[in-house]
Amino acid sequence: MKRLLTRYADTMSHISVFIGHSCSILFFACIAISALEVVMRYGFDRPTVWSTELAMTLCATAWVLSVGYVTERTRHISITMLEILVSPKVWRLFRLFQQLIAFAAIFVLTLALWKPALKVIGRTEYSGTAFNSPQPTIFKVIIVVGCILYLAQLIANIIRWTQETQEDMPSGN
Amino acid sequence: MGIEFITLLIVISLLGLMALGVPLGVTTLTVSLATAMLYFGERAGFFIVAANVSEVLHKYELIAVPFFVFMANVLERSGIAKSLFDSMAILGGRFRGSVGVQTCIVAVVLAAMSGIMGGEIVMLGLIALPQMLRLGYDKKLSIGIICAAGALATLIPPSVVLIIYGLAAQVSITKLFAASAVPGFMLASLYITYILVRVRMNPSMAPIYDIPETGLPLFQRLKYMKGVILPAILIGTVLGVIYSGVATVTEAAAIGAVGALIVAAIQGELRWTMARDAMRQTVLTVGSIIWLVLGAVSLIGIYNRIGGGEFLRGLLTGLDVPPLMVIVVMMLIIMLLGTFLEWIAIIFITVPIFAPVVINLGFDPIWFGVLFAMNIQIYYLSPPFGPACFFLKSVAPKGIELQDIFLAVLPFIALQVLGLFLVLFFPQLALWLPAMLD
Amino acid sequence: ETFNIQTSFNAGDFSTQYLTETWLPKISEMTQGRVEIIFTPNGSVVPARETPEAVAAGVLDGDFTSVNYFAGLEPAFAIMGDLISGYDTPQQMLGFCRDGGGEAMMQRAADEITGGEVHVVACGPYSRESLPARTPIRTFEDLEGMKIRSPEGLAAAVFQAAGASPVSIPFSEVFGALEKGIVDAADASAYVNNDRTGLHDVAPYPLYPGIHSMPSMQFTVNTEKWDTLSADDQVALKTWWYDAMTAMTEEVSKLDAELAARDDAADGIEVINWAQEDRDKLRVVARSQWEAYATKSALAKEALDAHIAYMTQIGLFEK
Ligand code: NA
Ligand code: NA
């Protein structure tokens, strides 16, 4: 059982890091598209109708999907003032509490986002602009995927906590 | 239950969860989900949170954030920032306090290329601090300069703080960028004046510094200009694009990111691994920001629906004081929140409530945004939660403790407060540049 | 009973002030205090696009919103929300809503996306947007080659069909884009608002009365909540809304007309008023785009047919 859990934690962390790294490619694409729009507008006098929405969609997707990576590296912004005030043992308990609260909150958030996501899968929602992409649909689905990644990585972190293998990485930006 | 009581309950639970070290995004999400479900039950409560959370992704201006962060990361990793510092040392010449002044000026130039606070302080902490200490500069003065000047990144445009403010207050980010430039330079000038006055009064704080190149005649020193020219072109391009209105702030940020890569290439520093690592760093930095925004927006939606916004606006407009005093009260509230909250949380908690009041009182929300960003400067430095101090601590030489840093920044906090009051009483300091551009 | 209604107006808008000060007291008067309404600004509780669902779920008691926000949910909302270059005056379109089957059409569209939990009380526009331009566009033919900011689907299609090239940029960038000549004209807002934001300083050839957009609003109430009202109060609510919109239409067009006359008399700004002939030409071109757009859904087609029947009846199209 213990080995199985360790396997899960390691595999999940690998997946999170891989997705996180892949997100950098999406950000690069997003930069390229936005810069290209300026060139098209001034260089060729041909502004596009798609660049804004495409850049937004790629960027938001990367932004949401990087959550596993951020969680794996424990880079969520939090205030750790108490860490210097309490004993390491007590702080270790706090760490568990923080991750359990995060799990509970994101789980409830996933439930809240679930129905809207199913709804747009059943009936596609469009942006209503000139480009009229299914952007709202993508966003409502991708955020659920992001939440699930977040939860999966939190489980991995909690496993590592119980096995005392969770590195104490500094938090904050 | 009255709204006063609910407000108190919300504040207490926010503070409690934060103090226990729960990530801020999770804290606000937890409180908003709990409030929503208690007030509206499952269906309506879930809906209101879900709708507001998904909407965050539709904010086009928000995508300028990763671009500016990436740009700053490239500048740091490619050594552009360091060569800028070295060039400035040689161009600056020799006078008492020259290295301190030069550090301020480099910080301003870097601030014009970076939209977030942190990287600059780390960079200056690694390069300038050992330099100043080696030359016998006063320890506190040196530390103060780096924290205060390094924090200017979010006052001098581009600035992620102003982008998020613009989104929350629904005002033009371009105008905010124009309005914050002069106050940014003003703060830098206050720092420089302070350094010059201090070292004149007490010469032992800053021995005159000699490197061989500064002895050269001016025209020979000019060849060291090349470390300055490329960053200057980059700054000119990005800010020029924004101020001229040629492209959106997001597009300007993309141009800045591409430009930073080009500058790195010209300096022979462009490598795929460098760009890749800069982007991975960006992913981690911005990855946590989005959850803060999601949580804050969701909390605001709920709080407005239960009449909280109306209640707080009533409190503020009900104050029996002159309009300008209401603004002062708002500034004090922001300062107070700044002692323990993250800046994004401060923006999303205060701006939706303050902005309509500011407009009702007949003030310009652009001006208020500048005051806000200046207040954030104070927040960066002030104990106990002073992020700028934490950043410096992370790279400071052994023997420099956090309490040394907190003591060292105190005079600079006084200067920041002075600057804030100058803009408060002379709004033209902020507003003349945007007016000129119109 | 208190109704929490989210509007698509911003806190500082003229319309918010006018409605809150002049018209909110009237509804409590008309119903002897049985109905009180609280307006909240655009996006304050839920994002503008989500109000139908929010009303259905009971998060809001109702909405008073630009219909165009829902164009992505069901194409019929685009046809109902802003029939680009369709009606000449807001009064004509209000007539369509009230007497020409517009309300019933809106109810069908609301049912399509929420399943009967939202009751449409009324609909209609209160202003016609003017079109600020930096280059004179005096006739239909002048549209050829003009770069016009128009983010919405139908507006972009109509401008394109008329020979212009639509550009999609965020609203916040309109001023800069006009100033620098990135666009020749921009879909912005009513004349009074464009005047306040200083657009005419950079775009001194405003087309007024406008030629393109006339955004329609909807007033809805949660069905359960609506059913608790007495028949008298239901009638009162509907009457109140149309009276308020009619009064606001007059107020806005009076302001617009005064400002336009003032500007036209002054140097530096030339207000351009298209001849009826040019408006009719644009309407014919626009109709082909409405028809193309209406193929997106059966409901959109029905909505368009209702429009065209009414427009033919009042003489905007020949029988
Ligand atoms: Na900056
Ligand atoms: Na602080």
Side-chain angles (χ1 to χ4, degrees), chain B residues 43-44 47-48 51-52 55 58 244-246 248 304-305 437-438, chain C residues 4 44-47 49-50 53-54 57 59 117 172-173 179-180 182:
Chain B
R43 179 177 173 203
F47 172 76
I48 189 170
N52 283 312
E55 185 64 12
H58 289 271
S244 64
V246 160
T248 64
N304 270 328
R305 176 58 186 83
L437 292 172
D438 266 8
Chain C
N4 265 297
S44 58
V45 178
V46 293
R49 180 182 327 103
E50 305 281 354
E53 194 75 18
V59 170
E117 291 172 292
S172 54
E173 305 301 326
E179 190 183 25
K180 310 301 163 201
I182 294 162

PDB file of all heavy atoms in Angstrom, chain B residues 43-44 47-48 51-52 55 58 244-246 248 304-305 437-438, chain C residues 4 44-47 49-50 53-54 57 59 117 172-173 179-180 182:
ATOM      1  N   ARG B  43     -27.650  25.442  -4.888  1.00  0.00           N
ATOM      2  CA  ARG B  43     -27.728  25.752  -6.309  1.00  0.00           C
ATOM      3  C   ARG B  43     -27.270  27.181  -6.605  1.00  0.00           C
ATOM      4  O   ARG B  43     -26.360  27.409  -7.388  1.00  0.00           O
ATOM      5  CB  ARG B  43     -29.156  25.563  -6.807  1.00  0.00           C
ATOM      6  CG  ARG B  43     -29.251  25.900  -8.269  1.00  0.00           C
ATOM      7  CD  ARG B  43     -30.612  25.677  -8.857  1.00  0.00           C
ATOM      8  NE  ARG B  43     -30.613  26.197 -10.223  1.00  0.00           N
ATOM      9  CZ  ARG B  43     -31.710  26.560 -10.856  1.00  0.00           C
ATOM     10  NH1 ARG B  43     -32.879  26.457 -10.267  1.00  0.00           N
ATOM     11  NH2 ARG B  43     -31.630  27.038 -12.082  1.00  0.00           N
ATOM     12  N   ALA B  44     -27.927  28.149  -5.960  1.00  0.00           N
ATOM     13  CA  ALA B  44     -27.607  29.545  -6.240  1.00  0.00           C
ATOM     14  C   ALA B  44     -26.195  29.886  -5.769  1.00  0.00           C
ATOM     15  O   ALA B  44     -25.463  30.617  -6.437  1.00  0.00           O
ATOM     16  CB  ALA B  44     -28.626  30.457  -5.570  1.00  0.00           C
ATOM     17  N   PHE B  47     -23.708  28.526  -8.137  1.00  0.00           N
ATOM     18  CA  PHE B  47     -23.749  29.245  -9.406  1.00  0.00           C
ATOM     19  C   PHE B  47     -22.980  30.565  -9.338  1.00  0.00           C
ATOM     20  O   PHE B  47     -22.191  30.890 -10.225  1.00  0.00           O
ATOM     21  CB  PHE B  47     -25.194  29.522  -9.833  1.00  0.00           C
ATOM     22  CG  PHE B  47     -25.239  30.425 -11.020  1.00  0.00           C
ATOM     23  CD1 PHE B  47     -24.943  29.936 -12.276  1.00  0.00           C
ATOM     24  CD2 PHE B  47     -25.471  31.784 -10.873  1.00  0.00           C
ATOM     25  CE1 PHE B  47     -24.911  30.768 -13.372  1.00  0.00           C
ATOM     26  CE2 PHE B  47     -25.443  32.627 -11.959  1.00  0.00           C
ATOM     27  CZ  PHE B  47     -25.158  32.117 -13.215  1.00  0.00           C
ATOM     28  N   ILE B  48     -23.206  31.310  -8.287  1.00  0.00           N
ATOM     29  CA  ILE B  48     -22.607  32.646  -8.215  1.00  0.00           C
ATOM     30  C   ILE B  48     -21.078  32.546  -8.149  1.00  0.00           C
ATOM     31  O   ILE B  48     -20.354  33.298  -8.806  1.00  0.00           O
ATOM     32  CB  ILE B  48     -23.211  33.454  -7.036  1.00  0.00           C
ATOM     33  CG1 ILE B  48     -22.772  34.918  -7.089  1.00  0.00           C
ATOM     34  CG2 ILE B  48     -22.861  32.890  -5.703  1.00  0.00           C
ATOM     35  CD1 ILE B  48     -23.537  35.776  -6.095  1.00  0.00           C
ATOM     36  N   ALA B  51     -19.798  31.314 -11.694  1.00  0.00           N
ATOM     37  CA  ALA B  51     -19.894  32.331 -12.737  1.00  0.00           C
ATOM     38  C   ALA B  51     -18.764  33.345 -12.595  1.00  0.00           C
ATOM     39  O   ALA B  51     -18.115  33.720 -13.579  1.00  0.00           O
ATOM     40  CB  ALA B  51     -21.251  33.029 -12.652  1.00  0.00           C
ATOM     41  N   ASN B  52     -18.503  33.773 -11.371  1.00  0.00           N
ATOM     42  CA  ASN B  52     -17.462  34.787 -11.178  1.00  0.00           C
ATOM     43  C   ASN B  52     -16.073  34.228 -11.409  1.00  0.00           C
ATOM     44  O   ASN B  52     -15.204  34.901 -11.951  1.00  0.00           O
ATOM     45  CB  ASN B  52     -17.582  35.394  -9.782  1.00  0.00           C
ATOM     46  CG  ASN B  52     -18.713  36.391  -9.707  1.00  0.00           C
ATOM     47  OD1 ASN B  52     -18.836  37.260 -10.557  1.00  0.00           O
ATOM     48  ND2 ASN B  52     -19.562  36.253  -8.715  1.00  0.00           N
ATOM     49  N   GLU B  55     -15.314  33.894 -15.100  1.00  0.00           N
ATOM     50  CA  GLU B  55     -15.210  35.184 -15.785  1.00  0.00           C
ATOM     51  C   GLU B  55     -13.802  35.759 -15.733  1.00  0.00           C
ATOM     52  O   GLU B  55     -13.402  36.517 -16.608  1.00  0.00           O
ATOM     53  CB  GLU B  55     -16.221  36.175 -15.168  1.00  0.00           C
ATOM     54  CG  GLU B  55     -16.303  37.515 -15.871  1.00  0.00           C
ATOM     55  CD  GLU B  55     -16.815  37.409 -17.308  1.00  0.00           C
ATOM     56  OE1 GLU B  55     -17.327  36.336 -17.694  1.00  0.00           O
ATOM     57  OE2 GLU B  55     -16.689  38.409 -18.041  1.00  0.00           O
ATOM     58  N   HIS B  58     -11.717  35.672 -18.742  1.00  0.00           N
ATOM     59  CA  HIS B  58     -12.080  36.516 -19.886  1.00  0.00           C
ATOM     60  C   HIS B  58     -11.416  37.892 -19.853  1.00  0.00           C
ATOM     61  O   HIS B  58     -11.691  38.725 -20.705  1.00  0.00           O
ATOM     62  CB  HIS B  58     -13.601  36.701 -19.949  1.00  0.00           C
ATOM     63  CG  HIS B  58     -14.339  35.473 -20.364  1.00  0.00           C
ATOM     64  ND1 HIS B  58     -14.607  35.176 -21.678  1.00  0.00           N
ATOM     65  CD2 HIS B  58     -14.835  34.440 -19.650  1.00  0.00           C
ATOM     66  CE1 HIS B  58     -15.250  34.020 -21.749  1.00  0.00           C
ATOM     67  NE2 HIS B  58     -15.400  33.554 -20.531  1.00  0.00           N
ATOM     68  N   SER B 244       1.726  55.893 -26.935  1.00  0.00           N
ATOM     69  CA  SER B 244       1.215  56.413 -28.205  1.00  0.00           C
ATOM     70  C   SER B 244      -0.120  55.766 -28.541  1.00  0.00           C
ATOM     71  O   SER B 244      -0.794  56.200 -29.457  1.00  0.00           O
ATOM     72  CB  SER B 244       2.216  56.148 -29.306  1.00  0.00           C
ATOM     73  OG  SER B 244       2.344  54.759 -29.483  1.00  0.00           O
ATOM     74  N   GLY B 245      -0.495  54.728 -27.813  1.00  0.00           N
ATOM     75  CA  GLY B 245      -1.769  54.079 -28.099  1.00  0.00           C
ATOM     76  C   GLY B 245      -1.732  53.234 -29.358  1.00  0.00           C
ATOM     77  O   GLY B 245      -2.761  52.840 -29.883  1.00  0.00           O
ATOM     78  N   VAL B 246      -0.513  52.939 -29.841  1.00  0.00           N
ATOM     79  CA  VAL B 246      -0.383  52.163 -31.065  1.00  0.00           C
ATOM     80  C   VAL B 246      -0.890  50.733 -30.867  1.00  0.00           C
ATOM     81  O   VAL B 246      -1.448  50.117 -31.752  1.00  0.00           O
ATOM     82  CB  VAL B 246       1.105  52.161 -31.505  1.00  0.00           C
ATOM     83  CG1 VAL B 246       1.399  51.025 -32.439  1.00  0.00           C
ATOM     84  CG2 VAL B 246       1.447  53.487 -32.150  1.00  0.00           C
ATOM     85  N   THR B 248      -2.356  47.663 -27.687  1.00  0.00           N
ATOM     86  CA  THR B 248      -2.871  47.476 -26.340  1.00  0.00           C
ATOM     87  C   THR B 248      -1.709  47.202 -25.385  1.00  0.00           C
ATOM     88  O   THR B 248      -0.604  46.867 -25.814  1.00  0.00           O
ATOM     89  CB  THR B 248      -3.824  46.274 -26.281  1.00  0.00           C
ATOM     90  OG1 THR B 248      -3.079  45.108 -26.596  1.00  0.00           O
ATOM     91  CG2 THR B 248      -4.964  46.429 -27.250  1.00  0.00           C
ATOM     92  N   ASN B 304     -20.934  41.645  -2.629  1.00  0.00           N
ATOM     93  CA  ASN B 304     -21.821  42.644  -3.232  1.00  0.00           C
ATOM     94  C   ASN B 304     -23.264  42.190  -3.191  1.00  0.00           C
ATOM     95  O   ASN B 304     -24.164  42.981  -2.929  1.00  0.00           O
ATOM     96  CB  ASN B 304     -21.427  42.885  -4.691  1.00  0.00           C
ATOM     97  CG  ASN B 304     -20.404  43.984  -4.818  1.00  0.00           C
ATOM     98  OD1 ASN B 304     -20.396  44.922  -4.028  1.00  0.00           O
ATOM     99  ND2 ASN B 304     -19.534  43.859  -5.784  1.00  0.00           N
ATOM    100  N   ARG B 305     -23.480  40.900  -3.470  1.00  0.00           N
ATOM    101  CA  ARG B 305     -24.848  40.406  -3.543  1.00  0.00           C
ATOM    102  C   ARG B 305     -25.541  40.473  -2.186  1.00  0.00           C
ATOM    103  O   ARG B 305     -26.746  40.705  -2.108  1.00  0.00           O
ATOM    104  CB  ARG B 305     -24.845  38.968  -4.093  1.00  0.00           C
ATOM    105  CG  ARG B 305     -26.201  38.303  -4.130  1.00  0.00           C
ATOM    106  CD  ARG B 305     -27.192  39.105  -4.971  1.00  0.00           C
ATOM    107  NE  ARG B 305     -28.528  38.523  -4.893  1.00  0.00           N
ATOM    108  CZ  ARG B 305     -29.385  38.756  -3.911  1.00  0.00           C
ATOM    109  NH1 ARG B 305     -29.053  39.557  -2.931  1.00  0.00           N
ATOM    110  NH2 ARG B 305     -30.575  38.192  -3.928  1.00  0.00           N
ATOM    111  N   LEU B 437      -1.213  63.450 -22.971  1.00  0.00           N
ATOM    112  CA  LEU B 437      -1.309  62.415 -24.003  1.00  0.00           C
ATOM    113  C   LEU B 437      -2.677  62.412 -24.665  1.00  0.00           C
ATOM    114  O   LEU B 437      -2.844  61.918 -25.767  1.00  0.00           O
ATOM    115  CB  LEU B 437      -1.025  61.041 -23.391  1.00  0.00           C
ATOM    116  CG  LEU B 437       0.417  60.824 -22.921  1.00  0.00           C
ATOM    117  CD1 LEU B 437       0.536  59.526 -22.160  1.00  0.00           C
ATOM    118  CD2 LEU B 437       1.377  60.829 -24.105  1.00  0.00           C
ATOM    119  N   ASP B 438      -3.674  62.948 -23.978  1.00  0.00           N
ATOM    120  CA  ASP B 438      -5.036  62.938 -24.535  1.00  0.00           C
ATOM    121  C   ASP B 438      -5.151  63.849 -25.740  1.00  0.00           C
ATOM    122  O   ASP B 438      -4.913  65.010 -25.658  1.00  0.00           O
ATOM    123  CB  ASP B 438      -6.031  63.369 -23.458  1.00  0.00           C
ATOM    124  CG  ASP B 438      -6.604  62.145 -22.761  1.00  0.00           C
ATOM    125  OD1 ASP B 438      -6.092  61.048 -23.041  1.00  0.00           O
ATOM    126  OD2 ASP B 438      -7.528  62.303 -21.958  1.00  0.00           O
TER     127      ASP B 438
ATOM    128  N   ASN C   4     -33.910  42.476  -6.267  1.00  0.00           N
ATOM    129  CA  ASN C   4     -32.513  42.783  -6.577  1.00  0.00           C
ATOM    130  C   ASN C   4     -32.289  42.611  -8.069  1.00  0.00           C
ATOM    131  O   ASN C   4     -32.283  41.493  -8.571  1.00  0.00           O
ATOM    132  CB  ASN C   4     -31.592  41.810  -5.843  1.00  0.00           C
ATOM    133  CG  ASN C   4     -31.112  42.392  -4.550  1.00  0.00           C
ATOM    134  OD1 ASN C   4     -30.421  43.400  -4.538  1.00  0.00           O
ATOM    135  ND2 ASN C   4     -31.504  41.758  -3.448  1.00  0.00           N
ATOM    136  N   SER C  44     -21.645  43.444 -11.024  1.00  0.00           N
ATOM    137  CA  SER C  44     -21.330  43.535  -9.599  1.00  0.00           C
ATOM    138  C   SER C  44     -21.606  42.229  -8.854  1.00  0.00           C
ATOM    139  O   SER C  44     -20.921  41.913  -7.901  1.00  0.00           O
ATOM    140  CB  SER C  44     -22.099  44.681  -8.953  1.00  0.00           C
ATOM    141  OG  SER C  44     -23.471  44.487  -9.154  1.00  0.00           O
ATOM    142  N   VAL C  45     -22.600  41.482  -9.302  1.00  0.00           N
ATOM    143  CA  VAL C  45     -22.895  40.225  -8.629  1.00  0.00           C
ATOM    144  C   VAL C  45     -22.413  39.043  -9.470  1.00  0.00           C
ATOM    145  O   VAL C  45     -21.685  38.189  -9.001  1.00  0.00           O
ATOM    146  CB  VAL C  45     -24.400  40.096  -8.322  1.00  0.00           C
ATOM    147  CG1 VAL C  45     -24.689  38.756  -7.664  1.00  0.00           C
ATOM    148  CG2 VAL C  45     -24.851  41.234  -7.421  1.00  0.00           C
ATOM    149  N   VAL C  46     -22.848  39.002 -10.711  1.00  0.00           N
ATOM    150  CA  VAL C  46     -22.329  37.996 -11.637  1.00  0.00           C
ATOM    151  C   VAL C  46     -21.923  38.704 -12.928  1.00  0.00           C
ATOM    152  O   VAL C  46     -22.378  39.813 -13.199  1.00  0.00           O
ATOM    153  CB  VAL C  46     -23.382  36.896 -11.965  1.00  0.00           C
ATOM    154  CG1 VAL C  46     -23.687  36.060 -10.749  1.00  0.00           C
ATOM    155  CG2 VAL C  46     -24.637  37.503 -12.539  1.00  0.00           C
ATOM    156  N   PRO C  47     -21.061  38.069 -13.746  1.00  0.00           N
ATOM    157  CA  PRO C  47     -20.675  38.674 -15.012  1.00  0.00           C
ATOM    158  C   PRO C  47     -21.908  38.911 -15.890  1.00  0.00           C
ATOM    159  O   PRO C  47     -22.886  38.159 -15.789  1.00  0.00           O
ATOM    160  CB  PRO C  47     -19.770  37.622 -15.655  1.00  0.00           C
ATOM    161  CG  PRO C  47     -19.365  36.715 -14.562  1.00  0.00           C
ATOM    162  CD  PRO C  47     -20.405  36.782 -13.505  1.00  0.00           C
ATOM    163  N   ARG C  49     -22.731  38.322 -18.843  1.00  0.00           N
ATOM    164  CA  ARG C  49     -23.201  37.245 -19.706  1.00  0.00           C
ATOM    165  C   ARG C  49     -24.022  36.202 -18.923  1.00  0.00           C
ATOM    166  O   ARG C  49     -24.760  35.416 -19.487  1.00  0.00           O
ATOM    167  CB  ARG C  49     -21.981  36.595 -20.380  1.00  0.00           C
ATOM    168  CG  ARG C  49     -22.288  35.488 -21.298  1.00  0.00           C
ATOM    169  CD  ARG C  49     -21.044  34.837 -21.913  1.00  0.00           C
ATOM    170  NE  ARG C  49     -19.917  35.726 -22.162  1.00  0.00           N
ATOM    171  CZ  ARG C  49     -18.845  35.775 -21.383  1.00  0.00           C
ATOM    172  NH1 ARG C  49     -18.751  35.043 -20.316  1.00  0.00           N
ATOM    173  NH2 ARG C  49     -17.835  36.586 -21.690  1.00  0.00           N
ATOM    174  N   GLU C  50     -23.887  36.190 -17.603  1.00  0.00           N
ATOM    175  CA  GLU C  50     -24.473  35.114 -16.802  1.00  0.00           C
ATOM    176  C   GLU C  50     -25.790  35.487 -16.137  1.00  0.00           C
ATOM    177  O   GLU C  50     -26.322  34.705 -15.359  1.00  0.00           O
ATOM    178  CB  GLU C  50     -23.479  34.677 -15.716  1.00  0.00           C
ATOM    179  CG  GLU C  50     -22.113  34.270 -16.220  1.00  0.00           C
ATOM    180  CD  GLU C  50     -22.090  32.852 -16.788  1.00  0.00           C
ATOM    181  OE1 GLU C  50     -23.121  32.164 -16.683  1.00  0.00           O
ATOM    182  OE2 GLU C  50     -21.050  32.458 -17.331  1.00  0.00           O
ATOM    183  N   GLU C  53     -28.962  32.973 -16.274  1.00  0.00           N
ATOM    184  CA  GLU C  53     -28.785  31.818 -15.407  1.00  0.00           C
ATOM    185  C   GLU C  53     -28.897  32.231 -13.928  1.00  0.00           C
ATOM    186  O   GLU C  53     -29.450  31.508 -13.111  1.00  0.00           O
ATOM    187  CB  GLU C  53     -27.404  31.219 -15.701  1.00  0.00           C
ATOM    188  CG  GLU C  53     -27.182  29.843 -15.158  1.00  0.00           C
ATOM    189  CD  GLU C  53     -27.908  28.776 -15.973  1.00  0.00           C
ATOM    190  OE1 GLU C  53     -28.286  29.056 -17.136  1.00  0.00           O
ATOM    191  OE2 GLU C  53     -28.092  27.699 -15.434  1.00  0.00           O
ATOM    192  N   ALA C  54     -28.365  33.418 -13.612  1.00  0.00           N
ATOM    193  CA  ALA C  54     -28.419  33.891 -12.226  1.00  0.00           C
ATOM    194  C   ALA C  54     -29.858  34.171 -11.804  1.00  0.00           C
ATOM    195  O   ALA C  54     -30.244  33.901 -10.664  1.00  0.00           O
ATOM    196  CB  ALA C  54     -27.572  35.152 -12.067  1.00  0.00           C
ATOM    197  N   ALA C  57     -31.498  30.820 -11.237  1.00  0.00           N
ATOM    198  CA  ALA C  57     -31.084  30.174  -9.991  1.00  0.00           C
ATOM    199  C   ALA C  57     -31.532  30.956  -8.767  1.00  0.00           C
ATOM    200  O   ALA C  57     -31.364  30.484  -7.651  1.00  0.00           O
ATOM    201  CB  ALA C  57     -29.563  30.007  -9.977  1.00  0.00           C
ATOM    202  N   VAL C  59     -30.225  33.800  -7.775  1.00  0.00           N
ATOM    203  CA  VAL C  59     -29.154  34.652  -7.239  1.00  0.00           C
ATOM    204  C   VAL C  59     -29.570  36.115  -7.391  1.00  0.00           C
ATOM    205  O   VAL C  59     -29.351  36.937  -6.511  1.00  0.00           O
ATOM    206  CB  VAL C  59     -27.833  34.400  -7.987  1.00  0.00           C
ATOM    207  CG1 VAL C  59     -26.801  35.441  -7.612  1.00  0.00           C
ATOM    208  CG2 VAL C  59     -27.325  33.003  -7.695  1.00  0.00           C
ATOM    209  N   GLU C 117     -37.468  29.293 -16.211  1.00  0.00           N
ATOM    210  CA  GLU C 117     -37.333  29.887 -14.869  1.00  0.00           C
ATOM    211  C   GLU C 117     -37.182  31.406 -14.905  1.00  0.00           C
ATOM    212  O   GLU C 117     -37.049  32.027 -13.862  1.00  0.00           O
ATOM    213  CB  GLU C 117     -36.135  29.256 -14.141  1.00  0.00           C
ATOM    214  CG  GLU C 117     -36.371  27.811 -13.786  1.00  0.00           C
ATOM    215  CD  GLU C 117     -35.124  27.142 -13.259  1.00  0.00           C
ATOM    216  OE1 GLU C 117     -34.171  26.964 -14.056  1.00  0.00           O
ATOM    217  OE2 GLU C 117     -35.079  26.813 -12.077  1.00  0.00           O
ATOM    218  N   SER C 172     -11.555  49.783 -24.234  1.00  0.00           N
ATOM    219  CA  SER C 172     -10.631  50.684 -23.535  1.00  0.00           C
ATOM    220  C   SER C 172      -9.627  51.327 -24.491  1.00  0.00           C
ATOM    221  O   SER C 172      -9.003  52.325 -24.168  1.00  0.00           O
ATOM    222  CB  SER C 172      -9.896  49.923 -22.443  1.00  0.00           C
ATOM    223  OG  SER C 172      -9.267  48.784 -22.997  1.00  0.00           O
ATOM    224  N   GLU C 173      -9.469  50.735 -25.685  1.00  0.00           N
ATOM    225  CA  GLU C 173      -8.455  51.238 -26.617  1.00  0.00           C
ATOM    226  C   GLU C 173      -9.059  52.142 -27.687  1.00  0.00           C
ATOM    227  O   GLU C 173      -8.347  52.591 -28.584  1.00  0.00           O
ATOM    228  CB  GLU C 173      -7.730  50.074 -27.292  1.00  0.00           C
ATOM    229  CG  GLU C 173      -7.103  49.079 -26.323  1.00  0.00           C
ATOM    230  CD  GLU C 173      -6.088  49.716 -25.397  1.00  0.00           C
ATOM    231  OE1 GLU C 173      -5.392  50.648 -25.839  1.00  0.00           O
ATOM    232  OE2 GLU C 173      -6.012  49.298 -24.226  1.00  0.00           O
ATOM    233  N   GLU C 179      -7.421  58.251 -32.165  1.00  0.00           N
ATOM    234  CA  GLU C 179      -6.455  59.341 -32.153  1.00  0.00           C
ATOM    235  C   GLU C 179      -5.299  59.076 -33.111  1.00  0.00           C
ATOM    236  O   GLU C 179      -4.866  59.953 -33.837  1.00  0.00           O
ATOM    237  CB  GLU C 179      -5.936  59.532 -30.726  1.00  0.00           C
ATOM    238  CG  GLU C 179      -5.118  60.786 -30.556  1.00  0.00           C
ATOM    239  CD  GLU C 179      -4.554  60.907 -29.145  1.00  0.00           C
ATOM    240  OE1 GLU C 179      -4.393  59.864 -28.485  1.00  0.00           O
ATOM    241  OE2 GLU C 179      -4.278  62.042 -28.731  1.00  0.00           O
ATOM    242  N   LYS C 180      -4.815  57.819 -33.082  1.00  0.00           N
ATOM    243  CA  LYS C 180      -3.656  57.488 -33.906  1.00  0.00           C
ATOM    244  C   LYS C 180      -4.051  57.063 -35.312  1.00  0.00           C
ATOM    245  O   LYS C 180      -3.194  56.711 -36.111  1.00  0.00           O
ATOM    246  CB  LYS C 180      -2.846  56.346 -33.269  1.00  0.00           C
ATOM    247  CG  LYS C 180      -2.495  56.529 -31.828  1.00  0.00           C
ATOM    248  CD  LYS C 180      -1.671  57.779 -31.582  1.00  0.00           C
ATOM    249  CE  LYS C 180      -1.721  58.118 -30.112  1.00  0.00           C
ATOM    250  NZ  LYS C 180      -1.405  59.516 -29.834  1.00  0.00           N
ATOM    251  N   ILE C 182      -5.627  54.353 -36.139  1.00  0.00           N
ATOM    252  CA  ILE C 182      -5.632  52.898 -36.328  1.00  0.00           C
ATOM    253  C   ILE C 182      -6.978  52.485 -36.911  1.00  0.00           C
ATOM    254  O   ILE C 182      -7.080  51.567 -37.701  1.00  0.00           O
ATOM    255  CB  ILE C 182      -5.375  52.184 -34.987  1.00  0.00           C
ATOM    256  CG1 ILE C 182      -3.958  52.496 -34.504  1.00  0.00           C
ATOM    257  CG2 ILE C 182      -5.567  50.674 -35.115  1.00  0.00           C
ATOM    258  CD1 ILE C 182      -3.736  52.221 -33.048  1.00  0.00           C
TER     259      ILE C 182
END
